[in-house]
Short mmCIF file of all heavy atoms in Angstrom, two decimals:
data_model
loop_
_atom_site.label_atom_id
_atom_site.label_comp_id
_atom_site.label_asym_id
_atom_site.label_seq_id
_atom_site.Cartn_x
_atom_site.Cartn_y
_atom_site.Cartn_z
N MET A 1 -4.96 30.12 18.54
CA MET A 1 -4.82 28.80 17.94
C MET A 1 -3.37 28.32 18.07
O MET A 1 -2.45 29.08 17.82
CB MET A 1 -5.21 28.89 16.46
CG MET A 1 -4.97 27.61 15.69
SD MET A 1 -5.46 27.70 13.94
CE MET A 1 -5.19 29.39 13.49
N ARG A 2 -3.25 27.08 18.52
CA ARG A 2 -1.91 26.52 18.66
C ARG A 2 -1.78 25.29 17.76
O ARG A 2 -2.67 24.44 17.73
CB ARG A 2 -1.65 26.14 20.12
CG ARG A 2 -0.39 25.32 20.33
CD ARG A 2 0.03 25.30 21.77
NE ARG A 2 0.75 26.52 22.14
CZ ARG A 2 2.04 26.71 21.91
NH1 ARG A 2 2.77 25.78 21.34
NH2 ARG A 2 2.62 27.84 22.27
N VAL A 3 -0.67 25.20 17.03
CA VAL A 3 -0.43 24.09 16.11
C VAL A 3 0.77 23.29 16.60
O VAL A 3 1.79 23.86 17.00
CB VAL A 3 -0.15 24.62 14.68
CG1 VAL A 3 0.25 23.47 13.75
CG2 VAL A 3 -1.35 25.36 14.14
N THR A 4 0.60 21.98 16.59
CA THR A 4 1.72 21.10 16.92
C THR A 4 1.81 20.01 15.85
O THR A 4 0.80 19.46 15.44
CB THR A 4 1.49 20.41 18.29
OG1 THR A 4 1.20 21.39 19.26
CG2 THR A 4 2.73 19.64 18.72
N VAL A 5 3.02 19.71 15.42
CA VAL A 5 3.24 18.60 14.49
C VAL A 5 4.02 17.51 15.23
O VAL A 5 5.05 17.79 15.84
CB VAL A 5 4.03 19.05 13.25
CG1 VAL A 5 4.38 17.86 12.37
CG2 VAL A 5 3.23 20.07 12.45
N ASP A 6 3.50 16.31 15.18
CA ASP A 6 4.17 15.17 15.80
C ASP A 6 5.34 14.75 14.90
O ASP A 6 5.15 14.15 13.84
CB ASP A 6 3.19 14.02 15.96
CG ASP A 6 3.80 12.84 16.71
OD1 ASP A 6 5.04 12.72 16.75
OD2 ASP A 6 3.02 12.04 17.25
N GLU A 7 6.54 15.09 15.32
CA GLU A 7 7.73 14.79 14.51
C GLU A 7 7.98 13.28 14.42
O GLU A 7 8.71 12.81 13.56
CB GLU A 7 8.95 15.51 15.09
CG GLU A 7 8.89 17.02 14.94
CD GLU A 7 9.04 17.48 13.49
OE1 GLU A 7 9.57 16.70 12.67
OE2 GLU A 7 8.61 18.60 13.18
N GLY A 8 7.37 12.54 15.34
CA GLY A 8 7.57 11.09 15.32
C GLY A 8 6.80 10.39 14.22
O GLY A 8 7.20 9.32 13.78
N THR A 9 5.71 11.02 13.77
CA THR A 9 4.91 10.38 12.73
C THR A 9 4.94 11.14 11.41
O THR A 9 4.57 10.59 10.38
CB THR A 9 3.44 10.24 13.18
OG1 THR A 9 2.93 11.53 13.53
CG2 THR A 9 3.33 9.31 14.39
N CYS A 10 5.38 12.39 11.42
CA CYS A 10 5.45 13.19 10.18
C CYS A 10 6.38 12.51 9.18
O CYS A 10 7.50 12.15 9.52
CB CYS A 10 5.97 14.59 10.51
SG CYS A 10 6.29 15.60 9.06
N ASP A 11 5.89 12.36 7.94
CA ASP A 11 6.71 11.69 6.92
C ASP A 11 7.39 12.67 5.97
O ASP A 11 8.04 12.28 5.00
CB ASP A 11 5.88 10.67 6.15
CG ASP A 11 4.79 11.33 5.31
OD1 ASP A 11 4.76 12.57 5.24
OD2 ASP A 11 3.97 10.60 4.73
N HIS A 12 7.21 13.97 6.22
CA HIS A 12 7.92 15.03 5.49
C HIS A 12 7.67 15.03 3.98
O HIS A 12 8.54 15.37 3.21
CB HIS A 12 9.44 14.95 5.77
CG HIS A 12 9.75 15.06 7.22
ND1 HIS A 12 10.11 13.98 7.98
CD2 HIS A 12 9.74 16.12 8.06
CE1 HIS A 12 10.32 14.37 9.23
NE2 HIS A 12 10.10 15.66 9.30
N HIS A 13 6.46 14.63 3.60
CA HIS A 13 6.15 14.70 2.17
C HIS A 13 5.55 16.05 1.78
O HIS A 13 5.44 16.34 0.60
CB HIS A 13 5.21 13.56 1.76
CG HIS A 13 5.92 12.24 1.71
ND1 HIS A 13 5.25 11.05 1.57
CD2 HIS A 13 7.22 11.93 1.82
CE1 HIS A 13 6.14 10.05 1.57
NE2 HIS A 13 7.33 10.57 1.73
N GLY A 14 5.15 16.84 2.76
CA GLY A 14 4.84 18.24 2.50
C GLY A 14 3.43 18.57 2.06
O GLY A 14 3.18 19.68 1.60
N GLN A 15 2.49 17.67 2.23
CA GLN A 15 1.11 18.01 1.85
C GLN A 15 0.60 19.22 2.63
O GLN A 15 -0.19 20.01 2.11
CB GLN A 15 0.18 16.82 2.07
CG GLN A 15 0.37 15.70 1.08
CD GLN A 15 1.41 14.69 1.55
OE1 GLN A 15 2.30 15.00 2.34
NE2 GLN A 15 1.30 13.49 1.05
N CYS A 16 1.02 19.37 3.86
CA CYS A 16 0.60 20.51 4.67
C CYS A 16 1.11 21.82 4.06
O CYS A 16 0.40 22.82 4.07
CB CYS A 16 1.11 20.36 6.10
SG CYS A 16 2.88 20.08 6.22
N MET A 17 2.31 21.79 3.55
CA MET A 17 2.88 23.00 2.95
C MET A 17 2.13 23.38 1.68
O MET A 17 1.94 24.56 1.39
CB MET A 17 4.37 22.80 2.64
CG MET A 17 5.03 24.03 2.07
SD MET A 17 6.81 23.86 1.91
CE MET A 17 6.94 22.60 0.65
N ILE A 18 1.69 22.37 0.93
CA ILE A 18 0.90 22.66 -0.28
C ILE A 18 -0.44 23.29 0.12
O ILE A 18 -0.88 24.25 -0.49
CB ILE A 18 0.68 21.36 -1.08
CG1 ILE A 18 2.03 20.86 -1.61
CG2 ILE A 18 -0.32 21.58 -2.23
CD1 ILE A 18 2.00 19.45 -2.17
N ALA A 19 -1.04 22.77 1.18
CA ALA A 19 -2.35 23.27 1.62
C ALA A 19 -2.24 24.63 2.29
O ALA A 19 -3.13 25.47 2.14
CB ALA A 19 -3.00 22.26 2.57
N CYS A 20 -1.16 24.87 3.02
CA CYS A 20 -1.07 26.08 3.83
C CYS A 20 0.38 26.55 3.96
O CYS A 20 1.00 26.42 5.03
CB CYS A 20 -1.68 25.82 5.20
SG CYS A 20 -1.92 27.33 6.17
N PRO A 21 0.94 27.10 2.90
CA PRO A 21 2.35 27.51 2.93
C PRO A 21 2.62 28.67 3.88
O PRO A 21 3.77 28.91 4.24
CB PRO A 21 2.63 27.89 1.47
CG PRO A 21 1.30 28.20 0.88
CD PRO A 21 0.32 27.31 1.59
N GLU A 22 1.55 29.38 4.29
CA GLU A 22 1.74 30.48 5.24
C GLU A 22 2.19 29.96 6.61
O GLU A 22 2.79 30.70 7.39
CB GLU A 22 0.44 31.26 5.42
CG GLU A 22 -0.05 31.98 4.18
CD GLU A 22 -1.02 31.14 3.34
OE1 GLU A 22 -0.94 29.89 3.43
OE2 GLU A 22 -1.81 31.72 2.60
N VAL A 23 1.90 28.70 6.89
CA VAL A 23 2.19 28.15 8.22
C VAL A 23 3.22 27.04 8.18
O VAL A 23 4.06 26.92 9.09
CB VAL A 23 0.88 27.64 8.88
CG1 VAL A 23 1.16 26.92 10.19
CG2 VAL A 23 -0.08 28.81 9.10
N PHE A 24 3.19 26.22 7.13
CA PHE A 24 4.07 25.05 7.08
C PHE A 24 5.13 25.21 5.99
O PHE A 24 4.83 25.62 4.88
CB PHE A 24 3.23 23.78 6.81
CG PHE A 24 2.19 23.53 7.85
CD1 PHE A 24 0.90 24.00 7.69
CD2 PHE A 24 2.50 22.83 9.01
CE1 PHE A 24 -0.08 23.78 8.66
CE2 PHE A 24 1.55 22.61 9.99
CZ PHE A 24 0.25 23.09 9.80
N ASN A 25 6.34 24.86 6.32
CA ASN A 25 7.44 25.02 5.37
C ASN A 25 8.40 23.84 5.51
O ASN A 25 9.07 23.68 6.54
CB ASN A 25 8.17 26.33 5.66
CG ASN A 25 9.29 26.59 4.68
OD1 ASN A 25 9.30 26.05 3.58
ND2 ASN A 25 10.25 27.40 5.08
N LEU A 26 8.47 23.03 4.47
CA LEU A 26 9.40 21.91 4.47
C LEU A 26 10.76 22.44 4.00
O LEU A 26 11.02 22.60 2.81
CB LEU A 26 8.87 20.81 3.53
CG LEU A 26 9.48 19.43 3.65
CD1 LEU A 26 9.27 18.84 5.04
CD2 LEU A 26 8.89 18.51 2.59
N VAL A 27 11.61 22.76 4.94
CA VAL A 27 12.86 23.45 4.61
C VAL A 27 13.92 22.51 4.07
O VAL A 27 14.87 22.94 3.42
CB VAL A 27 13.41 24.24 5.82
CG1 VAL A 27 12.48 25.37 6.18
CG2 VAL A 27 13.63 23.34 7.02
N SER A 28 13.80 21.23 4.35
CA SER A 28 14.69 20.23 3.77
C SER A 28 13.90 18.92 3.76
O SER A 28 12.83 18.84 4.37
CB SER A 28 15.98 20.11 4.58
OG SER A 28 15.73 19.48 5.81
N PRO A 29 14.37 17.90 3.08
CA PRO A 29 13.59 16.66 2.98
C PRO A 29 13.24 16.03 4.33
O PRO A 29 12.32 15.23 4.40
CB PRO A 29 14.50 15.74 2.17
CG PRO A 29 15.30 16.67 1.34
CD PRO A 29 15.55 17.87 2.22
N ASP A 30 13.94 16.39 5.36
CA ASP A 30 13.64 15.78 6.66
C ASP A 30 13.37 16.81 7.76
O ASP A 30 13.42 16.48 8.94
CB ASP A 30 14.77 14.83 7.08
CG ASP A 30 16.07 15.58 7.25
OD1 ASP A 30 16.12 16.78 6.97
OD2 ASP A 30 17.05 14.94 7.67
N ARG A 31 13.07 18.04 7.35
CA ARG A 31 12.81 19.04 8.40
C ARG A 31 11.65 19.96 8.01
O ARG A 31 11.71 20.67 7.00
CB ARG A 31 14.05 19.88 8.68
CG ARG A 31 13.89 20.70 9.97
CD ARG A 31 15.22 21.11 10.53
NE ARG A 31 15.86 22.14 9.73
CZ ARG A 31 15.74 23.43 9.95
NH1 ARG A 31 15.01 23.85 10.96
NH2 ARG A 31 16.36 24.29 9.19
N LEU A 32 10.62 19.89 8.82
CA LEU A 32 9.43 20.73 8.63
C LEU A 32 9.44 21.83 9.68
O LEU A 32 9.53 21.56 10.87
CB LEU A 32 8.17 19.88 8.79
CG LEU A 32 6.84 20.63 8.69
CD1 LEU A 32 6.58 21.06 7.24
CD2 LEU A 32 5.69 19.77 9.20
N GLU A 33 9.35 23.07 9.21
CA GLU A 33 9.17 24.19 10.14
C GLU A 33 7.73 24.66 10.04
O GLU A 33 7.11 24.57 8.98
CB GLU A 33 10.12 25.33 9.80
CG GLU A 33 11.56 25.02 10.12
CD GLU A 33 12.50 26.20 9.89
OE1 GLU A 33 12.05 27.21 9.30
OE2 GLU A 33 13.66 26.09 10.29
N TYR A 34 7.21 25.18 11.15
CA TYR A 34 5.83 25.66 11.13
C TYR A 34 5.64 26.73 12.18
O TYR A 34 6.41 26.83 13.14
CB TYR A 34 4.85 24.50 11.34
CG TYR A 34 5.01 23.76 12.64
CD1 TYR A 34 4.21 24.06 13.74
CD2 TYR A 34 5.96 22.75 12.78
CE1 TYR A 34 4.34 23.37 14.93
CE2 TYR A 34 6.11 22.06 13.97
CZ TYR A 34 5.30 22.38 15.03
OH TYR A 34 5.45 21.70 16.22
N VAL A 35 4.61 27.53 11.96
CA VAL A 35 4.26 28.59 12.91
C VAL A 35 3.42 27.95 14.01
O VAL A 35 2.33 27.45 13.75
CB VAL A 35 3.48 29.72 12.19
CG1 VAL A 35 3.11 30.81 13.19
CG2 VAL A 35 4.27 30.26 11.02
N ALA A 36 3.90 27.98 15.23
CA ALA A 36 3.22 27.29 16.33
C ALA A 36 1.96 28.01 16.79
O ALA A 36 1.03 27.38 17.28
CB ALA A 36 4.17 27.11 17.50
N GLU A 37 1.93 29.33 16.61
CA GLU A 37 0.74 30.09 17.02
C GLU A 37 0.32 31.01 15.87
O GLU A 37 0.50 32.23 15.96
CB GLU A 37 1.02 30.86 18.30
CG GLU A 37 1.26 29.94 19.48
CD GLU A 37 1.35 30.70 20.81
OE1 GLU A 37 1.00 31.89 20.85
OE2 GLU A 37 1.76 30.08 21.80
N PRO A 38 -0.23 30.43 14.81
CA PRO A 38 -0.62 31.27 13.67
C PRO A 38 -1.81 32.16 13.98
O PRO A 38 -2.61 31.86 14.88
CB PRO A 38 -0.98 30.23 12.59
CG PRO A 38 -1.34 29.00 13.33
CD PRO A 38 -0.51 29.01 14.59
N ASP A 39 -1.90 33.23 13.22
CA ASP A 39 -3.02 34.15 13.39
C ASP A 39 -4.35 33.44 13.11
O ASP A 39 -4.42 32.54 12.26
CB ASP A 39 -2.85 35.34 12.43
CG ASP A 39 -3.85 36.44 12.72
OD1 ASP A 39 -3.58 37.25 13.62
OD2 ASP A 39 -4.91 36.45 12.07
N GLU A 40 -5.38 33.87 13.81
CA GLU A 40 -6.70 33.27 13.67
C GLU A 40 -7.19 33.33 12.22
O GLU A 40 -7.95 32.47 11.78
CB GLU A 40 -7.67 33.97 14.61
CG GLU A 40 -9.04 33.33 14.70
CD GLU A 40 -9.00 31.89 15.21
OE1 GLU A 40 -8.11 31.55 16.02
OE2 GLU A 40 -9.88 31.11 14.78
N SER A 41 -6.77 34.31 11.49
CA SER A 41 -7.20 34.46 10.09
C SER A 41 -6.74 33.29 9.22
O SER A 41 -7.24 33.10 8.11
CB SER A 41 -6.66 35.79 9.52
OG SER A 41 -5.25 35.76 9.47
N LEU A 42 -5.79 32.51 9.72
CA LEU A 42 -5.27 31.38 8.96
C LEU A 42 -5.92 30.05 9.35
O LEU A 42 -5.49 28.98 8.91
CB LEU A 42 -3.75 31.27 9.16
CG LEU A 42 -2.94 32.42 8.56
CD1 LEU A 42 -1.50 32.38 9.06
CD2 LEU A 42 -2.97 32.34 7.04
N ARG A 43 -6.98 30.11 10.14
CA ARG A 43 -7.59 28.86 10.64
C ARG A 43 -8.03 27.93 9.51
O ARG A 43 -7.75 26.73 9.53
CB ARG A 43 -8.77 29.16 11.57
CG ARG A 43 -9.45 27.90 12.08
CD ARG A 43 -10.50 28.19 13.12
NE ARG A 43 -9.94 28.68 14.36
CZ ARG A 43 -9.47 27.89 15.34
NH1 ARG A 43 -9.50 26.58 15.20
NH2 ARG A 43 -8.98 28.40 16.44
N ASP A 44 -8.74 28.46 8.51
CA ASP A 44 -9.21 27.60 7.41
C ASP A 44 -8.03 26.90 6.74
O ASP A 44 -8.09 25.72 6.41
CB ASP A 44 -9.99 28.41 6.39
CG ASP A 44 -11.37 28.81 6.89
OD1 ASP A 44 -11.77 28.34 7.98
OD2 ASP A 44 -12.03 29.61 6.20
N CYS A 45 -6.99 27.67 6.52
CA CYS A 45 -5.79 27.15 5.87
C CYS A 45 -5.16 26.03 6.70
O CYS A 45 -4.82 24.96 6.20
CB CYS A 45 -4.85 28.35 5.72
SG CYS A 45 -3.24 28.07 5.07
N VAL A 46 -5.05 26.25 8.00
CA VAL A 46 -4.45 25.24 8.88
C VAL A 46 -5.32 23.99 8.94
O VAL A 46 -4.82 22.86 8.93
CB VAL A 46 -4.23 25.82 10.30
CG1 VAL A 46 -3.76 24.74 11.26
CG2 VAL A 46 -3.22 26.96 10.25
N GLU A 47 -6.64 24.20 8.95
CA GLU A 47 -7.53 23.03 8.98
C GLU A 47 -7.45 22.24 7.68
O GLU A 47 -7.55 21.01 7.69
CB GLU A 47 -8.97 23.50 9.26
CG GLU A 47 -9.14 23.95 10.71
CD GLU A 47 -10.55 24.39 11.05
OE1 GLU A 47 -11.39 24.54 10.14
OE2 GLU A 47 -10.81 24.60 12.25
N GLU A 48 -7.22 22.92 6.58
CA GLU A 48 -7.02 22.21 5.31
C GLU A 48 -5.74 21.37 5.38
O GLU A 48 -5.69 20.24 4.90
CB GLU A 48 -6.93 23.20 4.15
CG GLU A 48 -8.28 23.73 3.71
CD GLU A 48 -8.16 24.76 2.61
OE1 GLU A 48 -7.16 24.72 1.85
OE2 GLU A 48 -9.05 25.62 2.51
N ALA A 49 -4.71 21.93 5.97
CA ALA A 49 -3.46 21.19 6.12
C ALA A 49 -3.65 19.98 7.03
O ALA A 49 -3.16 18.88 6.74
CB ALA A 49 -2.38 22.11 6.70
N GLU A 50 -4.39 20.18 8.12
CA GLU A 50 -4.67 19.07 9.03
C GLU A 50 -5.38 17.94 8.29
O GLU A 50 -5.05 16.76 8.44
CB GLU A 50 -5.54 19.57 10.19
CG GLU A 50 -5.93 18.49 11.18
CD GLU A 50 -7.00 18.95 12.14
OE1 GLU A 50 -7.89 19.71 11.71
OE2 GLU A 50 -6.95 18.56 13.31
N ALA A 51 -6.37 18.31 7.48
CA ALA A 51 -7.14 17.30 6.75
C ALA A 51 -6.29 16.62 5.67
O ALA A 51 -6.53 15.46 5.33
CB ALA A 51 -8.37 17.96 6.12
N ALA A 52 -5.31 17.33 5.14
CA ALA A 52 -4.49 16.79 4.06
C ALA A 52 -3.37 15.89 4.57
O ALA A 52 -2.78 15.12 3.80
CB ALA A 52 -3.88 17.94 3.25
N CYS A 53 -3.08 15.98 5.84
CA CYS A 53 -1.93 15.23 6.38
C CYS A 53 -2.25 13.72 6.41
O CYS A 53 -3.14 13.29 7.13
CB CYS A 53 -1.59 15.72 7.78
SG CYS A 53 -0.22 14.79 8.50
N PRO A 54 -1.51 12.92 5.66
CA PRO A 54 -1.82 11.49 5.58
C PRO A 54 -1.51 10.72 6.85
O PRO A 54 -2.01 9.61 7.04
CB PRO A 54 -0.96 11.00 4.41
CG PRO A 54 0.18 11.97 4.36
CD PRO A 54 -0.39 13.29 4.79
N THR A 55 -0.69 11.27 7.72
CA THR A 55 -0.33 10.55 8.93
C THR A 55 -0.98 11.15 10.18
O THR A 55 -0.64 10.76 11.31
CB THR A 55 1.20 10.57 9.12
OG1 THR A 55 1.64 11.93 9.21
CG2 THR A 55 1.91 9.88 7.95
N LEU A 56 -1.92 12.08 9.98
CA LEU A 56 -2.63 12.71 11.09
C LEU A 56 -1.66 13.29 12.13
O LEU A 56 -1.86 13.16 13.33
CB LEU A 56 -3.59 11.71 11.76
CG LEU A 56 -4.58 11.01 10.82
CD1 LEU A 56 -5.43 10.00 11.60
CD2 LEU A 56 -5.46 12.01 10.09
N SER A 57 -0.62 13.92 11.64
CA SER A 57 0.44 14.43 12.53
C SER A 57 0.19 15.84 13.02
O SER A 57 0.93 16.33 13.87
CB SER A 57 1.78 14.39 11.79
OG SER A 57 2.12 13.07 11.46
N ILE A 58 -0.84 16.51 12.47
CA ILE A 58 -1.06 17.91 12.83
C ILE A 58 -2.17 18.00 13.87
O ILE A 58 -3.27 17.49 13.68
CB ILE A 58 -1.45 18.73 11.58
CG1 ILE A 58 -0.30 18.69 10.57
CG2 ILE A 58 -1.78 20.18 11.98
CD1 ILE A 58 -0.64 19.33 9.23
N LEU A 59 -1.86 18.64 14.98
CA LEU A 59 -2.83 18.85 16.05
C LEU A 59 -3.11 20.35 16.17
O LEU A 59 -2.18 21.16 16.24
CB LEU A 59 -2.26 18.34 17.38
CG LEU A 59 -3.12 18.59 18.62
CD1 LEU A 59 -4.41 17.78 18.55
CD2 LEU A 59 -2.35 18.25 19.89
N ILE A 60 -4.40 20.70 16.14
CA ILE A 60 -4.82 22.09 16.33
C ILE A 60 -5.54 22.18 17.66
O ILE A 60 -6.46 21.42 17.92
CB ILE A 60 -5.78 22.54 15.20
CG1 ILE A 60 -5.13 22.37 13.84
CG2 ILE A 60 -6.20 23.99 15.42
CD1 ILE A 60 -6.10 22.58 12.68
N GLU A 61 -5.11 23.11 18.49
CA GLU A 61 -5.77 23.35 19.76
C GLU A 61 -6.32 24.76 19.78
O GLU A 61 -5.61 25.71 19.45
CB GLU A 61 -4.79 23.15 20.91
CG GLU A 61 -4.31 21.70 21.02
CD GLU A 61 -3.18 21.56 22.02
OE1 GLU A 61 -2.05 21.97 21.67
OE2 GLU A 61 -3.42 21.07 23.12
N ASP A 62 -7.58 24.87 20.16
CA ASP A 62 -8.27 26.17 20.23
C ASP A 62 -8.11 26.96 18.94
O ASP A 62 -7.67 28.06 18.89
CB ASP A 62 -7.81 26.98 21.41
CG ASP A 62 -8.40 26.43 22.70
OD1 ASP A 62 -9.36 25.63 22.61
OD2 ASP A 62 -7.90 26.80 23.79
S1 SF4 B 101 1.40 16.65 5.72
FE1 SF4 B 101 1.69 15.72 7.75
S2 SF4 B 101 3.19 14.11 7.43
FE2 SF4 B 101 3.29 15.45 5.66
S3 SF4 B 101 4.90 16.95 6.10
FE3 SF4 B 101 2.98 17.82 6.79
S4 SF4 B 101 2.79 17.26 8.94
FE4 SF4 B 101 4.32 15.93 8.03
#
């Protein structure tokens, strides 16, 4: 599974981090870090983050 966040549309409010802190981490008000290739065991968590993102900035591939 590969995760990409569109930095151009991400508003850094951190809903993804609330849904899935194992993968998403808002390290400062304007900088989101994330695991680009999280373990498959985290798929549900990542999909919850994708669904929670108000700007549809999270892309999950495979
Ligand atoms: S929920 Fe979406 S817009 Fe908000 S910080 Fe996460 S990726 Fe960015």
Side-chain angles (χ1 to χ4, degrees):
M1 174 179 32
R2 170 164 280 278
V3 174
T4 308
V5 174
D6 185 338
E7 291 291 339
T9 57
C10 173
D11 66 7
H12 302 104
H13 287 170
Q15 288 89 335
C16 54
M17 182 172 67
I18 294 168
C20 191
E22 295 92 335
V23 173
F24 301 93
N25 182 22
L26 196 60
V27 294
S28 72
D30 62 356
R31 193 159 72 93
L32 177 72
E33 289 184 351
Y34 60 97
V35 180
E37 294 188 12
D39 189 83
E40 188 60 31
S41 65
L42 293 168
R43 178 173 291 276
D44 287 353
C45 176
V46 173
E47 288 181 350
E48 282 177 26
E50 178 192 37
C53 178
T55 59
L56 306 177
S57 297
I58 299 173
L59 176 67
I60 302 171
E61 295 171 285
D62 285 345

